[in-house]
Amino acid sequence: MSDTTVVIKTIGRSTLKAAISSAKREGFKTLVISDGVNTSAPGANKFVKLGKKWGYYGGMAANVGAALVETEYITFLDDDDEFVPGAGDIIRQKIKERPEVDVWVGGVRFVKPINLFNEKTKETYLQSRDLAMNSTLGITVGNVAMPTYKTYIFSRLPFTDTVKEEDKELTDFLHIQACSLAGCTIDWFGGPIYLVRPGTATVNGRGS
């Protein structure tokens, strides 16, 4: 039995089925939260429909999922993303190696190369399909994606629903910042865990 639940936040995309399949393939339990849309989630272990759309890139939907999770660990997935094959083994190994850690943050793989550019000069300084967080560069560089947490964290550090409109794409970053400020132990490691499909091929210095 898996000790990690994947909360998949859906707005009804057709790629939800692939997201669920990838989570089950990696040995995770699946809990799908519908963010105010009329959809179904065949194959999921649990499925919950919210009565309204919360938005904010699924932050509040993630909170609902965290409140319902019964496993010790929790991670998240958007309905248009998938786990890279082998991600489950990587996460389980990281937990085994450092059980004292509260949050594990891995890398992401994009379906096509993306440009990382300097917001001030607009000059591209990296083009790659894979991005991994580097804690020495700070937590607003790269792409946080959806980390794996000890579930208890969400009883005191839920995602916020009060982010500024211009920061709505940075919900995950802001939550990691809150965890860091609260003294949580964070393990930053390289290697892609998630396959993501950005709407644009350009990623700025903040990673949005």
Side-chain angles (χ1 to χ4, degrees):
M1 180 179 293
S2 174
D3 56 1
T4 301
T5 296
V6 179
V7 173
I8 303 176
K9 304 161 292 178
T10 183
I11 57 173
R13 294 186 179 102
S14 61
T15 48
L16 173 60
K17 182 177 180 180
I20 295 172
S21 296
S22 76
K24 295 176 70 174
R25 181 197 67 218
E26 297 307 312
F28 297 128
K29 291 184 177 179
T30 53
L31 169 59
V32 176
I33 306 291
S34 170
D35 194 4
V37 295
N38 185 22
T39 187
S40 60
N45 295 111
K46 292 183 180 180
F47 177 51
V48 175
K49 288 184 179 181
L50 301 185
K52 62 171 286 186
K53 179 174 175 57
W54 286 95
Y56 290 102
Y57 280 69
M60 292 305 289
N63 289 340
V64 172
L68 297 174
V69 164
E70 298 177 349
T71 52
E72 185 176 359
Y73 305 102
I74 182 173
T75 189
F76 300 93
L77 198 65
D78 291 337
D79 62 0
D80 61 341
D81 298 334
E82 300 176 26
F83 284 100
V84 172
D89 289 339
I90 292 173
I91 294 173
R92 283 184 286 270
Q93 183 62 33
K94 292 296 180 181
I95 291 173
K96 181 179 179 180
E97 290 173 353
R98 298 192 61 194
E100 78 283 3
V101 169
D102 297 305
V103 186
W104 293 263
V105 184
V108 297
R109 173 168 293 162
F110 292 89
V111 295
K112 56 184 177 181
I114 55 91
N115 297 315
L116 202 66
F117 67 92
N118 185 297
E119 288 186 300
K120 293 182 178 180
T121 66
K122 304 303 180 184
E123 293 180 354
T124 297
Y125 59 87
L126 175 67
Q127 184 180 63
S128 176
R129 283 188 64 202
D130 293 349
L131 285 180
M133 284 299 301
N134 184 335
S135 60
T136 64
L137 298 178
I139 60 177
T140 58
V141 177
N143 196 306
V144 171
M146 286 69 73
T148 297
Y149 302 83
K150 286 184 176 175
T151 304
Y152 84 90
I153 286 175
F154 289 89
S155 64
R156 58 188 181 93
L157 288 171
F159 284 102
T160 180
D161 65 340
T162 57
V163 296
K164 298 177 181 178
E165 179 65 22
E166 61 267 26
D167 290 335
K168 66 181 182 179
E169 297 181 8
L170 303 179
T171 304
D172 293 329
F173 294 92
L174 297 174
H175 192 255
I176 291 294
Q177 285 181 329
C179 290
S180 179
L181 292 172
C184 295
T185 303
I186 301 176
D187 182 13
W188 314 88
F189 62 92
I193 301 296
Y194 304 95
L195 177 68
V196 301
R197 300 179 179 88
T200 173
T202 301
V203 175
N204 66 24
R206 295 185 306 177
S208 61

